[in-house]
């Protein structure tokens, strides 16, 4: 298929990770918010991690040629299709 | 706030659909950031469908993803398709209920079978050019064997997709996700319709590719959503050592007490576990179920197809730490917090050790809004909420949205997996085989899209069927296990014994299914009443748990199928060898691997996977 999965995968992690990091940054002094997670600002730390992962996936996906689009000949066109 | 709470209570007393609200602590308070994260996910889900639409030129693109997907993508889809709602919620629940022994469903109950299907069976599925598992049965045996498999599979996929939908809507309702946005009595219906439309949308547009891509997204979202949950949870309870100190030893060891059913939480001894779960049920599912095999069939080459289940096995092995461990943490947390109150009940597990319940909420009666109490006057805990409760307990706003997204993603792909398997089996094995044999490829592509709509509509119907009849869930699980139990014997003989005939396979399959039914009718687990749990003919044997009964039902069904297939095959005439090339092991040239280095060969990967499995079992023995 012409769309490399790593591109949407990278993008969704970039966006969600980005949202979480920004929110985490804005709420970094809100101690009561992070009481649940034992004082750890999960939004900031985990969000950044997701952002980095997303960036990696996106860049790899952009760089690598997925497959010629469309695949020609298709695998089933090389041989005779099964008879029914 | 108090007024709202009170109003809500009164409200829920009137509407059963609002049942779980009163158990505080299982209510979500979402802020805009949580909604935003969920929205991003749904935009991507549908966006992938739209992006793939232009590649759907032939029916092969739609049903088989053009056989052009790399092995690692198929591999992740292979496990994600199986990781639906019942799986995530159910494994967390079993973790809380039975302990780490639940991971046997992921270890012995999956990994050996995945290695086997990759090494030995995939060359026949992929190499035969069959487009579905029922079609393989048609090529290997005959029309009637295909028909029985195609019809039973089509019906079961629609029903399980309906169950998935129901489970999702129920959870959304229980968590009060739409509370204040949509009137409470409509939440269930809105959830069902919304999820149906989204799944329909992306499969209608992008077919199997769309489903596979979304399953990959789901895989990474589950990891991203649950890994921090486990991490923070473990910190809270003092790590694995802390859990070990809090919980009874039977819950923290996966092989402890397996010598006898009375000394472990599952109520089954190791023979039943290894043969029933590890062999018959797991091979029956992972090696023959088109829902997962379809993902491997979409791979770009035979060698990739063989790698798919092996690649899938690696994350599969570690998934217990993401979906089962939260259940164990959930019961450990509470025991910590309430250690002042002695635990005074032991009704949940037939063990001398008392069973902690942690932060698991009490089950409430949807009609009377009262806690459910069992026959001994003890409260019944709603273990199904183990994972959702963990998310609410440990996740602050923001990452909570991510955790819920992960959960929703797993529900979506559980449905989508079934719908894509259904539309393929319907179009190729039912419509093209029995209704309209000689239509154009465009027509079958069109039919696939129509079948997608049909499958989703039937799933919605199934979801309401489950809603309206209390016991139907048990009944459906029973039907699934009875139909699936004997299947593997048919495939095993078909692929590895060239003498097996179509008549033999068909008779064996029917006999095996009947054997499962009869075995279920003659045995009963524990102190259950005769009926849906078994014993409806007469009771000749008591099993110590329904799991043990289930495992032995499978063993009986498999054995009967094996024997009957062999006997009937011996008295009927086999097909000539020339027709079976590519379908039977002894008549098929070994897959060409000469150009691969030793470390690229699927067998090497399989051995590595099995070694890791043994290591994990030793660590958690």
């Amino acid at each position: 298929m012409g769309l490399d999965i790593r591109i949407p995968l990278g993008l969704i992690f970039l966006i969600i990770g980005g949202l979480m990091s920004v929110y985490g940054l804005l709420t970094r002094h809100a101690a009561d918010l992070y009481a649940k997670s034992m004082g750890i600002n999960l939004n900031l730390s985990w969000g950044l991690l997701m952002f980095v992962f997303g960036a990696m996936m996106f860049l790899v996906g952009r760089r690598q040629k997925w497959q010629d689009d469309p695949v020609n000949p298709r695998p089933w066109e090389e041989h005779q299709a099964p008879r029914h | 706030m108090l007024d709202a709470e009170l109003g809500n209570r009164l409200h829920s007393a009137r509407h059963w659909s609002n049942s779980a609200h009163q158990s505080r602590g299982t209510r979500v308070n979402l802020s805009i950031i949580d909604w935003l994260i969920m929205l991003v996910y749904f935009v991507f889900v549908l966006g992938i469908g739209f992006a793939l639409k232009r590649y759907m030129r032939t029916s092969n693109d739609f049903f088989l993803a053009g056989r052009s997907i790399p092995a690692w993508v198929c591999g992740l889809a292979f496990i994600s398709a199986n990781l639906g709602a019942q799986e995530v919620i159910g494994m967390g629940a079993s973790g809380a209920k039975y302990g780490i022994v639940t991971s046997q469903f992921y270890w012995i109950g999956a990994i050996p079978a995945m290695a086997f299907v990759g090494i030995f069976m995939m060359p026949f599925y992929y190499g035969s050019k069959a487009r579905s598992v029922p079609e393989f049965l048609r090529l290997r045996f005959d029309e009637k064997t295909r028909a029985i498999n195609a019809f039973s599979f089509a019906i079961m996929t629609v029903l399980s997709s309906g169950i998935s939908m129901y489970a999702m809507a129920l959870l959304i309702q229980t968590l009060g996700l739409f509370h204040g946005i949509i009137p409470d009595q409509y939440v269930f219906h809105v959830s069902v319709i919304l999820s149906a439309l989204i799944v329909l949308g992306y499969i209608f547009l992008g077919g199997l590719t769309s489903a596979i891509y979304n399953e990959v997204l789901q895989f990474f979202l589950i990891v991203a959503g649950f890994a921090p949950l486990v991490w923070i949870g473990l910190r809270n309870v003092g790590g694995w050592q802390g859990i070990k100190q809090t919980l009874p030893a039977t819950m923290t060891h996966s092989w402890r007490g397996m010598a006898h059913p009375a000394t472990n939480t599952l109520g089954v001894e190791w023979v039943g576990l290894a043969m029933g779960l590890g062999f018959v049920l797991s091979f029956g599912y992972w090696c023959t179920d088109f829902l997962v095999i379809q993902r491997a069939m979409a791979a770009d080459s035979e060698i990739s197809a063989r790698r798919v289940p092996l690649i899938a096995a690696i994350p599969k092995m570690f998934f217990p730490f993401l979906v089962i461990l939260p259940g164990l943490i959930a019961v450990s947390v509470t025991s910590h917090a309430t250690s002042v109150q002695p635990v005074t009940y032991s009704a949940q597990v037939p063990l001398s050790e008392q069973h902690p319940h942690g932060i698991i909420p009490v089950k409430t009666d949807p009609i009377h809004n009262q806690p459910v109490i069992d026959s001994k006057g003890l409260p019944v805990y709603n273990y199904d909420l183990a994972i959702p409760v963990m998310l609410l307990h440990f996740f602050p706003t923001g990452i909570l949205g991510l955790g819920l997204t992960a959960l929703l993603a797993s529900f979506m792909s559980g449905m989508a997996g079934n719908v894509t398997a259904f539309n393929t089996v319907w179009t190729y094995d039912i419509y093209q085989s029995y209704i309209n044999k000689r239509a154009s490829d465009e027509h079958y592509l069109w039919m696939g899209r129509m079948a997608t709509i049909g499958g989703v509509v039937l799933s919605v119907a199934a979801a309401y069927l489950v809603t309206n009849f209390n016991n139907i869930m048990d009944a459906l699980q029973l039907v699934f296990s009875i139909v699936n139990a004997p299947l593997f014997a048919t495939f095993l003989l078909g692929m590895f014994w060239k003498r097996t005939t179509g008549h033999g396979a068909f008779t064996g399959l029917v006999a095996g299914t009947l054997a499962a039914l009869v075995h279920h009718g003659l045995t009963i687990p524990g102190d259950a009443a005769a009926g849906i749990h078994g014993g409806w003919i007469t009771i000749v044997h008591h099993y110590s748990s329904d799991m043990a009964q289930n495992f032995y039902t499978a063993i009986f069904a498999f054995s009967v199928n094996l024997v009957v297939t062999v006997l009937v095959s011996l008295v009927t005439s086999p097909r000539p060898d020339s027709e079976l090339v590519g379908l039977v092991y002894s008549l098929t040239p070994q897959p060409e691997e000469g150009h691969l280095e030793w470390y690229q060969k699927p067998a090497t990967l399989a051995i590595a996977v099995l070694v890791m499995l043994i290591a994990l079992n030793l660590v958690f023995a």
Side-chain angles (χ1 to χ4, degrees):
Chain A
M1 287 295 138
L3 174 72
D4 190 321
I5 175 66
R6 282 168 292 197
I7 292 174
L9 178 65
L11 280 175
I12 195 172
F13 271 74
L14 278 174
I15 297 176
I16 293 183
L19 280 173
M20 281 167 59
S21 326
V22 170
Y23 185 76
L25 206 64
L26 295 176
T27 56
R28 66 188 181 279
H29 300 302
D32 52 332
L33 180 66
Y34 295 106
K36 272 183 169 183
S37 54
M38 306 173 67
I40 298 162
N41 189 338
L42 272 183
N43 283 327
L44 185 59
S45 49
W46 195 251
L48 280 176
L49 214 66
M50 284 177 69
F51 189 84
V52 171
F53 173 79
M56 264 164 40
M57 278 290 160
F58 184 72
L59 291 178
V60 173
R62 282 297 294 272
R63 231 161 199 227
Q64 289 201 348
K65 196 97 184 82
W66 182 251
Q67 233 159 1
D68 291 328
D69 171 34
V71 183
N72 234 343
R74 307 290 177 90
W76 64 92
E77 286 166 351
E78 291 171 40
H79 311 276
Q80 218 184 355
R83 289 270 150 259
H84 298 279
Chain B
M1 206 63 204
L2 236 157
D3 284 356
E5 197 72 53
L6 188 69
N8 179 34
R9 275 162 178 246
L10 291 171
H11 196 66
S12 58
R14 284 199 305 270
H15 295 279
W16 73 271
S17 60
N18 199 14
S19 62
H21 279 174
Q22 75 292 343
S23 55
R24 269 168 297 177
T26 57
R27 255 297 274 297
V28 199
N29 283 313
L30 293 179
S31 61
I32 188 96
I33 181 85
D34 302 307
W35 285 111
L36 217 54
I37 291 172
M38 284 190 261
L39 189 70
V40 168
Y41 168 69
F42 287 111
V43 167
F44 267 83
V45 164
L46 287 173
I48 286 179
F50 278 105
L52 290 170
K53 183 170 181 279
R54 63 196 179 98
Y55 301 109
M56 298 296 125
R57 294 184 312 157
T58 67
S59 68
N60 263 296
D61 294 326
F62 190 78
F63 296 117
L64 293 168
R67 292 219 157 135
S68 63
I69 309 283
W72 69 272
V73 176
C74 294
L76 296 183
F78 192 90
I79 46 166
S80 295
N82 166 257
L83 201 70
Q86 297 99 307
E87 196 73 9
V88 173
I89 297 294
M91 284 296 140
S94 304
K97 215 167 164 179
Y98 305 117
I100 198 73
V101 72
T102 309
S103 53
Q104 292 300 358
F105 286 89
Y106 277 53
W107 294 343
I108 195 172
I111 308 297
M114 289 163 97
F116 186 83
V117 70
I119 295 298
F120 296 106
M121 292 174 79
M122 207 46 82
F124 305 114
Y125 283 136
Y126 196 91
S128 69
K129 306 261 175 342
R131 297 168 303 180
S132 68
V133 166
E135 189 164 277
F136 174 80
L137 288 177
R138 164 76 187 81
L139 295 173
R140 172 63 185 88
F141 297 121
D142 52 16
E143 200 58 63
K144 58 180 181 295
T145 315
R146 181 240 287 265
I148 190 176
N149 186 250
F151 280 100
S152 63
F153 182 79
I155 294 167
M156 287 194 303
T157 45
V158 165
L159 289 174
S160 38
S161 144
I163 293 179
S164 212
M165 208 175 263
Y166 162 79
M168 176 175 183
L170 194 67
L171 186 73
I172 290 178
Q173 189 183 46
T174 308
L175 296 179
L177 218 55
F178 288 130
H179 182 69
I181 302 169
I182 299 165
D184 285 325
Q185 67 268 37
Y186 297 126
V187 168
F188 185 87
H189 311 294
V190 171
S191 310
V192 166
I193 302 298
L194 217 56
S195 60
L197 284 178
I198 291 167
V199 168
L200 173 66
Y202 75 79
I203 298 178
F204 187 89
L205 291 165
L208 179 64
T209 318
S210 199
I212 287 180
Y213 279 18
N214 277 307
E215 280 152 9
V216 173
L217 281 195
Q218 177 227 341
F219 172 84
F220 285 102
L221 284 171
I222 289 253
V223 175
F226 285 18
L229 180 70
V230 172
W231 181 68
I232 208 94
L234 278 178
R235 271 178 75 103
N236 185 275
V237 298
W240 179 243
Q241 291 307 322
I243 293 181
K244 270 183 155 176
Q245 281 163 14
T246 318
L247 299 182
T250 43
M251 285 188 78
T252 54
H253 295 272
S254 62
W255 285 101
R256 179 78 56 94
M258 275 298 164
H260 194 274
T263 51
N264 67 74
T265 49
L266 294 181
V268 67
E269 82 299 333
W270 70 272
V271 181
L273 186 78
M275 285 304 293
L277 175 68
F279 182 63
V280 178
L281 284 176
S282 106
F283 281 68
Y285 178 76
W286 294 101
C287 302
T288 73
D289 198 293
F290 184 54
L291 171 68
V292 287
I293 302 295
Q294 188 179 28
R295 270 79 197 144
M297 282 178 161
D300 54 14
S301 66
E302 185 176 317
I303 196 85
S304 289
R306 297 180 66 198
R307 285 199 188 108
V308 166
L310 300 168
I311 293 172
I314 298 169
K316 180 81 183 170
M317 239 183 283
F318 295 99
F319 256 96
F321 302 120
L322 286 181
V323 296
I324 297 172
L325 205 49
L328 272 108
I329 297 172
V331 288
S332 307
V333 170
T334 352
S335 329
H336 258 241
T338 59
S339 55
V340 273
Q341 307 165 346
V343 189
T344 52
Y345 50 87
S346 57
Q348 292 297 318
V349 209
L351 283 177
S352 52
E353 284 148 306
Q354 302 201 317
H355 194 265
H357 62 84
I359 48 177
I360 311 282
V362 175
K363 206 174 215 168
T364 45
D365 186 326
I367 297 154
H368 303 104
N369 209 10
Q370 295 290 318
V372 177
I373 290 180
D374 69 5
S375 54
K376 296 180 186 104
L378 303 165
V380 176
Y381 289 93
N382 194 351
Y383 285 98
D384 282 346
L385 288 177
I387 286 190
V389 152
M390 278 287 285
L391 290 174
L392 299 181
H393 190 81
F394 286 115
F395 275 179
T397 296
I399 198 166
L400 179 61
L402 175 69
L404 290 173
T405 305
L407 211 52
L408 292 181
S410 86
F411 284 85
M412 288 286 166
S413 59
M415 264 179 270
N418 282 301
V419 172
T420 49
F422 171 81
N423 66 21
T424 308
V425 167
W426 164 265
T427 306
Y428 284 154
D429 292 302
I430 297 174
Y431 184 75
Q432 190 179 23
S433 306
Y434 305 115
I435 300 171
N436 186 350
K437 284 187 190 180
R438 304 198 186 285
S440 64
D441 190 65
E442 290 91 79
H443 180 74
Y444 292 126
L445 176 60
W446 172 83
M447 188 27 98
R449 293 213 153 108
M450 293 306 117
T452 308
I453 299 180
V456 170
V457 169
L458 287 173
S459 305
V460 173
Y464 278 100
L465 193 73
V466 176
T467 316
N468 291 327
F469 298 94
N470 275 335
N471 291 325
I472 205 158
M473 199 87 129
D474 288 342
L476 287 179
Q477 300 293 5
L478 177 67
V479 171
F480 293 167
S481 68
I482 283 175
V483 173
N484 279 331
L487 260 183
F488 185 59
T490 304
F491 284 83
L492 194 67
L493 287 171
M495 285 181 178
F496 297 97
W497 191 43
K498 65 178 183 180
R499 187 70 182 70
T500 320
T501 66
H503 293 307
F506 182 79
T507 332
L509 208 51
V510 173
T513 310
L514 289 177
L517 206 60
V518 169
H519 180 265
H520 183 262
L522 291 175
T523 59
I524 197 157
D527 47 5
I532 191 86
H533 298 292
W536 40 268
I537 300 172
T538 175
I539 299 168
V540 297
H541 186 75
H542 280 270
Y543 284 110
S544 46
S545 69
D546 48 359
M547 222 172 284
Q549 184 197 30
N550 188 14
F551 292 169
Y552 278 99
T553 300
I555 295 173
F556 270 91
F558 174 86
S559 313
V560 168
N561 184 0
L562 197 78
V563 171
V564 171
T565 306
V566 169
L567 291 180
V568 176
S569 290
L570 287 174
V571 296
T572 45
S573 59
R575 289 168 66 183
D577 285 3
S578 58
E579 290 181 11
L580 297 175
V581 174
L583 300 169
V584 177
Y585 190 77
S586 59
L587 299 172
T588 306
Q590 291 303 298
E592 180 55 53
E593 292 182 359
H595 60 290
L596 298 174
E597 297 292 331
W598 65 271
Y599 57 84
Q600 292 176 313
K601 291 185 180 175
T604 314
L605 191 53
I607 291 167
V609 161
L610 293 176
V611 168
M612 278 198 276
L613 173 68
I614 293 168
L616 272 177
N617 271 289
L618 290 177
V619 171
F620 290 94

